[in-house]
Amino acid sequence: MAANLKTNLNESQVKAVKHHKGPLLVLAGAGSGKTRIITERISHLISEHNVRPSNILAMTFTNKAANEMKQRVSNLAHDETKNVWIGTFHSTCLRILKRDINKLDGYNKDFIIYDDGDQIKLIKDCMGRLNIGDKLVSPKSARAQIDGAKNKGLGPDSPELREYDKHVQSIYSLYEKELRKSNALDFGDLLHVTVKLFEKKPEVLENYQNQFHYLLVDEYQDTNHVQYKIVEMLSRKHRNIFVVGDDNQSIYGWRGADIKNILNFEKDFSDAKIIKLEQNYRSTKNILEAANKLITHNKNRHKKNLYTENDQGDLINYYEASDDKNEAKHLSSKIFNEIKKGDYSYKDIAIFFRTNTQSRLLEEELLRKSIPYKMVGSTEFYKRKEIKDILAFLKIIVNPSDEISLKRIINVPPRGIGNVTINNLDEIAKEREVSFYEAIQIALKEKFLSNSVLMKIERLNNLLTELIEFPEKDDIVSLINHVLHKTKYLDMLEKEEERKENIGEILNLAVEFQKEREETTLNDFLDSVTLASDLDKYSENSDQVTLMTLHSAKGLEFPIVFIVGMEENLLPHFNSTMNGQVEEERRLFYVGITRAKEKVYLAGAARRMVFGKQQASIPSRFISELPQELIRLETPHFEENNQARSARKYPTKTISKPATSYQNTGRYKVGQKVVHSAFGEGLIKRVEGSGDDAKVTVFFPSVGDKKIIASYLEN
DNA sequence: CCCAAGGGATTGACA
DNA sequence: ATCCCTTGGG
Ligand SMILES: Nc1ncnc2c1ncn2[C@@H]1O[C@H](COP(=O)(O)OP(=O)(O)OP(=O)(O)O)[C@@H](O)[C@H]1O
């Protein structure tokens, strides 16, 4: 079977698949078969070179792509493929750490993973303790800088850190200490600590070097420094490092991805071979031509040929709706038409958007029209309060030192413990240098605090003990039921049916999780939940429309692709229009278009709800960068009450300035460039009032956001 | 010392 | 529209 498929590969593809030893880079455009080569090569190594599956490690970025790769490999090759290590960088590192982190001082393999929400909470805690107000450093910015440091392999004590803001330095220090105390790792740690482990314990590294004779990395253009480091270290011994990528599809700059990794591959791995692929097998001529034209607008780019022998295909459809609701309506009616014609089913259709919030309206519309859909790659579900609460209880059961989780549920359901008590307990913890959980025990034993407070704490402590001592913790379903029962959580929800359904959903997930594996541990369940690695698996083969962000769309393909929100300040996103990040936005759009095999529908809205307010918007500059003769512009049949639309044209190249009319408040508009004598050039984010007295919030690259009286601005 | 209500800020993407 | 934090009443 595998041989059969291989005959379909073109010459260069065969060369790549048959490549046996030494470093190799496949640098090629969208849809040229890079991912296919990875899977074929894995199968080839196993069947032709008798490589043991467990000697192969393949890594990608998103869960969806990793699951897809697993699927494709197991379709190609024999039963053993289960033992090939295929996963995201994060899940691979997690697996390594679960095995070996104990060898590193100060770490323990029962650690739990903090997601971004937990991270922010902890950072706020630390800032409170350090008396750093959130006007000095915003918690989000602190997090971004800490993540950035970890991505570069810098710990809180690294000398390079002196470059950082001194507040951020001290936050990082304390944050790190608190993570250790809670026996928790954040996402960045999964990678960063793995490198640390490899550096400090060469014997561990050697172990894995011996295991992984062959390394394959998909989407290599999006590796950041730590990820590069991991790849480089693991491949040092056998040097069989096989990476594929496309610099035009680099979309993770904000996560520290460094395009130089792929461009310097030849330098980093001496005697590396490079193979280029130029034929696209995925898309129609029109789609490919549109994408090719679009990407020429990026200055920073390596020229690539990409052609296809596929049919000419349809034009690119573009629809300008009067507002976001009508955009959604348009989309559902197009979906309806495509299905009605009978050539496609729901699973052939995908809808992409730039920001997660856009999905809500789309979902409502699809629900209304009874179009089956699934959200992919969204962690929204796990961010819900009721879910986080239940998970917090579970995390405490695994790991009572988990301070963030404990503080989360300390008064859930309400038991009369508030901030003051929490602060008092914090004090005890600090003085005795113990965990927050132990501070509770101490307070009880030594009768600190007032009697009424002690009684409440005691009740909490008894509850926790009952949970922790539950005999069958690894039977996750019973454990969750036990938690629900003991905490009376559902009573608290009363009539909140949606929340109750969500609790039912987490129980379902636990059931599925257990059904799928012979042995389960609570901790594995929690990890899988935090990494969201299982989230999309269960609905994989059902006939549903797929909804996802442009970022999660990378590496996938669909016969029909919808991209919505084609507006300035949304795509390209507002925050990107400052510092040369527009090219990354363009690549993001490029990724979106090139997912399509046969049809592309683009849509945008003239008005859209932002922050609960209607805002006007103009079409994305990217629309005007497509070959206009390939666009079929569709306008609304029946016009609603919209003055905005009639006056609008989509921009041509002569209107190349960034969008200005986002929100109209006299002289100053959101999105407008302004100059301040002290802070330099900036971009207006918000306007309150009008005229020279208006207060405007301006983002300056030099100092961040500032609120300023408008008359102090020159424009 | 807790809690509900109200005001202000906020929403970029992934693991 | 929603989250989060502050505030004043209980
Ligand atoms: N030689 C070939 N003949 C026919 N179809 C092919 C050939 N090679 C690849 N394909 C098909 O082309 C499509 C794109 O392949 P694949 O997903 O591997 O591309 P890719 O280079 O990884 O794309 P991207 O970088 O855009 O994610 C797939 O449907 C694949 O099966």
Side-chain angles (χ1 to χ4, degrees), chain A residues 8-10 13 28-37 72 218-219 246 249 281-282 554-557 594-595 597:
Chain A
N8 292 333
L9 294 169
N10 70 36
Q13 288 179 323
S32 55
K34 296 183 295 296
T35 306
R36 175 155 178 222
I37 286 172
R72 286 210 215 170
D218 202 354
E219 314 283 4
D246 174 5
Q249 292 187 57
Y281 291 96
R282 179 183 292 141
K554 191 167 69 159
L556 309 177
E557 60 184 22
T594 56
R595 300 308 92 197
K597 290 175 160 174

Short mmCIF file of all heavy atoms in Angstrom, two decimals, chain A residues 8-10 13 28-37 72 218-219 246 249 281-282 554-557 594-595 597, ligand 1:
data_model
loop_
_atom_site.label_atom_id
_atom_site.label_comp_id
_atom_site.label_asym_id
_atom_site.label_seq_id
_atom_site.Cartn_x
_atom_site.Cartn_y
_atom_site.Cartn_z
N ASN A 8 3.08 7.87 -6.57
CA ASN A 8 2.46 9.15 -6.89
C ASN A 8 3.33 10.35 -6.54
O ASN A 8 3.01 11.46 -6.91
CB ASN A 8 1.14 9.30 -6.13
CG ASN A 8 0.12 8.32 -6.65
OD1 ASN A 8 0.19 7.92 -7.81
ND2 ASN A 8 -0.79 7.92 -5.79
N LEU A 9 4.37 10.11 -5.79
CA LEU A 9 5.21 11.24 -5.40
C LEU A 9 6.04 11.70 -6.59
O LEU A 9 6.42 10.90 -7.44
CB LEU A 9 6.16 10.82 -4.26
CG LEU A 9 5.50 10.47 -2.94
CD1 LEU A 9 6.51 9.83 -2.00
CD2 LEU A 9 4.88 11.70 -2.30
N ASN A 10 6.31 12.98 -6.63
CA ASN A 10 7.19 13.46 -7.70
C ASN A 10 8.65 13.22 -7.32
O ASN A 10 8.97 12.78 -6.22
CB ASN A 10 6.89 14.91 -8.05
CG ASN A 10 7.32 15.87 -6.96
OD1 ASN A 10 8.34 15.67 -6.30
ND2 ASN A 10 6.53 16.92 -6.76
N GLN A 13 10.10 14.84 -4.23
CA GLN A 13 9.46 14.28 -3.03
C GLN A 13 10.05 12.91 -2.71
O GLN A 13 10.34 12.61 -1.56
CB GLN A 13 7.95 14.15 -3.25
CG GLN A 13 7.21 15.48 -3.26
CD GLN A 13 5.71 15.32 -3.52
OE1 GLN A 13 5.30 14.47 -4.31
NE2 GLN A 13 4.91 16.13 -2.86
N ALA A 28 9.77 24.57 1.20
CA ALA A 28 8.83 24.55 0.08
C ALA A 28 7.54 25.24 0.43
O ALA A 28 7.18 25.38 1.60
CB ALA A 28 8.55 23.11 -0.33
N GLY A 29 6.83 25.67 -0.58
CA GLY A 29 5.62 26.45 -0.40
C GLY A 29 4.43 25.64 0.06
O GLY A 29 4.52 24.44 0.31
N ALA A 30 3.33 26.34 0.17
CA ALA A 30 2.11 25.73 0.70
C ALA A 30 1.60 24.62 -0.21
O ALA A 30 1.63 24.76 -1.44
CB ALA A 30 1.04 26.80 0.85
N GLY A 31 1.15 23.56 0.39
CA GLY A 31 0.49 22.51 -0.37
C GLY A 31 1.39 21.71 -1.28
O GLY A 31 0.93 21.00 -2.16
N SER A 32 2.70 21.81 -1.04
CA SER A 32 3.63 21.08 -1.91
C SER A 32 3.92 19.67 -1.40
O SER A 32 4.69 18.95 -2.00
CB SER A 32 4.93 21.87 -2.04
OG SER A 32 5.45 22.12 -0.76
N GLY A 33 3.30 19.32 -0.32
CA GLY A 33 3.43 17.95 0.17
C GLY A 33 4.46 17.75 1.26
O GLY A 33 4.94 16.63 1.47
N LYS A 34 4.78 18.80 2.00
CA LYS A 34 5.79 18.67 3.04
C LYS A 34 5.35 17.71 4.15
O LYS A 34 6.10 16.83 4.55
CB LYS A 34 6.09 20.05 3.66
CG LYS A 34 6.69 21.03 2.68
CD LYS A 34 7.05 22.35 3.35
CE LYS A 34 5.83 23.11 3.87
NZ LYS A 34 4.89 23.54 2.81
N THR A 35 4.14 17.93 4.63
CA THR A 35 3.66 17.07 5.70
C THR A 35 3.54 15.63 5.22
O THR A 35 3.86 14.68 5.92
CB THR A 35 2.30 17.57 6.23
OG1 THR A 35 2.43 18.93 6.59
CG2 THR A 35 1.88 16.77 7.43
N ARG A 36 3.11 15.52 3.98
CA ARG A 36 2.99 14.17 3.43
C ARG A 36 4.35 13.49 3.40
O ARG A 36 4.47 12.30 3.70
CB ARG A 36 2.42 14.26 2.01
CG ARG A 36 2.40 12.91 1.36
CD ARG A 36 1.37 12.75 0.28
NE ARG A 36 1.49 11.41 -0.29
CZ ARG A 36 1.42 11.16 -1.58
NH1 ARG A 36 1.21 12.14 -2.44
NH2 ARG A 36 1.56 9.92 -2.00
N ILE A 37 5.38 14.25 3.06
CA ILE A 37 6.73 13.68 3.02
C ILE A 37 7.15 13.18 4.40
O ILE A 37 7.74 12.12 4.54
CB ILE A 37 7.73 14.73 2.52
CG1 ILE A 37 7.54 14.92 1.03
CG2 ILE A 37 9.15 14.31 2.82
CD1 ILE A 37 8.34 16.06 0.48
N ARG A 72 -2.39 10.05 9.81
CA ARG A 72 -1.84 9.75 8.49
C ARG A 72 -0.79 8.65 8.55
O ARG A 72 -0.74 7.79 7.67
CB ARG A 72 -1.20 11.02 7.90
CG ARG A 72 -2.20 12.04 7.42
CD ARG A 72 -1.59 12.82 6.26
NE ARG A 72 -1.99 14.22 6.25
CZ ARG A 72 -1.44 15.14 5.46
NH1 ARG A 72 -0.46 14.81 4.65
NH2 ARG A 72 -1.85 16.39 5.48
N ASP A 218 7.90 19.28 11.64
CA ASP A 218 7.04 19.96 10.66
C ASP A 218 6.95 21.44 11.04
O ASP A 218 7.13 21.79 12.20
CB ASP A 218 5.64 19.32 10.69
CG ASP A 218 4.88 19.56 9.39
OD1 ASP A 218 5.40 20.30 8.53
OD2 ASP A 218 3.78 19.00 9.23
N GLU A 219 6.67 22.29 10.08
CA GLU A 219 6.51 23.72 10.34
C GLU A 219 7.72 24.31 11.07
O GLU A 219 7.59 25.09 12.01
CB GLU A 219 5.25 23.97 11.20
CG GLU A 219 4.01 23.24 10.77
CD GLU A 219 3.33 23.86 9.55
OE1 GLU A 219 3.88 24.84 9.00
OE2 GLU A 219 2.26 23.36 9.15
N ASP A 246 8.19 26.45 5.56
CA ASP A 246 7.94 27.45 4.54
C ASP A 246 8.01 28.81 5.22
O ASP A 246 7.17 29.13 6.05
CB ASP A 246 6.54 27.21 3.94
CG ASP A 246 6.13 28.31 2.96
OD1 ASP A 246 6.96 29.20 2.68
OD2 ASP A 246 4.99 28.26 2.48
N GLN A 249 5.05 31.01 5.76
CA GLN A 249 3.98 30.62 6.67
C GLN A 249 4.36 30.79 8.13
O GLN A 249 3.75 30.21 9.01
CB GLN A 249 3.59 29.16 6.41
CG GLN A 249 2.92 28.95 5.07
CD GLN A 249 2.39 27.54 4.90
OE1 GLN A 249 1.58 27.07 5.70
NE2 GLN A 249 2.84 26.85 3.87
N TYR A 281 -0.10 20.67 -4.86
CA TYR A 281 -1.09 19.66 -5.22
C TYR A 281 -2.45 19.94 -4.60
O TYR A 281 -3.36 19.15 -4.74
CB TYR A 281 -0.62 18.28 -4.77
CG TYR A 281 0.57 17.76 -5.54
CD1 TYR A 281 1.86 17.92 -5.05
CD2 TYR A 281 0.39 17.14 -6.77
CE1 TYR A 281 2.95 17.46 -5.75
CE2 TYR A 281 1.48 16.67 -7.48
CZ TYR A 281 2.76 16.84 -6.96
OH TYR A 281 3.83 16.37 -7.66
N ARG A 282 -2.52 20.99 -3.84
CA ARG A 282 -3.72 21.18 -3.05
C ARG A 282 -4.78 22.02 -3.76
O ARG A 282 -5.95 21.64 -3.81
CB ARG A 282 -3.37 21.84 -1.72
CG ARG A 282 -4.59 22.08 -0.83
CD ARG A 282 -4.21 22.80 0.45
NE ARG A 282 -3.41 21.95 1.31
CZ ARG A 282 -2.38 22.38 2.03
NH1 ARG A 282 -2.03 23.65 1.96
NH2 ARG A 282 -1.71 21.55 2.79
N LYS A 554 -3.24 26.23 10.43
CA LYS A 554 -1.97 25.91 9.78
C LYS A 554 -1.77 24.40 9.60
O LYS A 554 -2.01 23.63 10.51
CB LYS A 554 -0.80 26.48 10.58
CG LYS A 554 0.49 26.40 9.81
CD LYS A 554 1.56 27.23 10.43
CE LYS A 554 1.99 26.62 11.75
NZ LYS A 554 3.31 27.12 12.11
N GLY A 555 -1.36 24.02 8.42
CA GLY A 555 -1.06 22.62 8.16
C GLY A 555 -2.27 21.80 7.73
O GLY A 555 -2.12 20.66 7.35
N LEU A 556 -3.46 22.39 7.80
CA LEU A 556 -4.65 21.62 7.45
C LEU A 556 -5.12 21.97 6.04
O LEU A 556 -4.59 22.86 5.40
CB LEU A 556 -5.77 21.91 8.45
CG LEU A 556 -5.37 21.78 9.91
CD1 LEU A 556 -6.53 22.18 10.81
CD2 LEU A 556 -4.93 20.37 10.22
N GLU A 557 -6.12 21.27 5.55
CA GLU A 557 -6.69 21.63 4.25
C GLU A 557 -8.16 21.27 4.19
O GLU A 557 -8.62 20.33 4.85
CB GLU A 557 -5.93 20.94 3.12
CG GLU A 557 -5.95 19.43 3.19
CD GLU A 557 -5.09 18.77 2.11
OE1 GLU A 557 -4.18 19.43 1.58
OE2 GLU A 557 -5.33 17.59 1.80
N THR A 594 -4.36 29.46 1.51
CA THR A 594 -3.74 28.26 0.95
C THR A 594 -4.23 26.97 1.61
O THR A 594 -3.79 25.89 1.24
CB THR A 594 -2.20 28.33 1.05
OG1 THR A 594 -1.84 28.53 2.41
CG2 THR A 594 -1.66 29.44 0.18
N ARG A 595 -5.12 27.08 2.59
CA ARG A 595 -5.74 25.86 3.12
C ARG A 595 -6.79 25.32 2.17
O ARG A 595 -7.22 24.17 2.27
CB ARG A 595 -6.44 26.12 4.47
CG ARG A 595 -5.60 26.63 5.61
CD ARG A 595 -4.40 25.80 5.85
NE ARG A 595 -3.26 26.32 5.10
CZ ARG A 595 -2.15 25.64 4.84
NH1 ARG A 595 -2.02 24.41 5.26
NH2 ARG A 595 -1.16 26.18 4.15
N LYS A 597 -8.75 23.95 -1.04
CA LYS A 597 -8.50 23.15 -2.23
C LYS A 597 -9.26 23.71 -3.42
O LYS A 597 -8.74 23.81 -4.51
CB LYS A 597 -8.97 21.71 -2.00
CG LYS A 597 -8.14 20.93 -1.01
CD LYS A 597 -8.81 19.57 -0.83
CE LYS A 597 -7.86 18.55 -0.26
NZ LYS A 597 -8.56 17.30 0.05
N1 LIG D 1 2.83 13.84 -5.38
C1 LIG D 1 1.58 14.13 -5.04
N2 LIG D 1 0.56 13.83 -5.85
C2 LIG D 1 -0.70 14.13 -5.52
N3 LIG D 1 -1.05 14.75 -4.37
C3 LIG D 1 -0.10 15.07 -3.51
C4 LIG D 1 1.27 14.78 -3.80
N4 LIG D 1 1.99 15.23 -2.77
C5 LIG D 1 1.14 15.77 -1.88
N5 LIG D 1 -0.12 15.69 -2.31
C6 LIG D 1 -1.33 16.21 -1.65
O1 LIG D 1 -1.24 17.61 -1.57
C7 LIG D 1 -1.89 18.09 -0.38
C8 LIG D 1 -0.96 18.96 0.40
O2 LIG D 1 0.03 18.19 1.01
P1 LIG D 1 0.66 18.53 2.44
O3 LIG D 1 -0.39 18.83 3.39
O4 LIG D 1 1.64 17.49 2.76
O5 LIG D 1 1.40 19.88 2.02
P2 LIG D 1 2.29 20.82 2.90
O6 LIG D 1 3.47 21.18 2.06
O7 LIG D 1 2.54 20.26 4.22
O8 LIG D 1 1.37 22.06 2.96
P3 LIG D 1 1.37 23.28 3.96
O9 LIG D 1 2.74 23.77 4.13
O10 LIG D 1 0.53 24.26 3.22
O11 LIG D 1 0.71 22.83 5.20
C9 LIG D 1 -2.31 16.86 0.37
O12 LIG D 1 -3.67 16.63 0.12
C10 LIG D 1 -1.46 15.76 -0.22
O13 LIG D 1 -2.08 14.51 -0.13
#
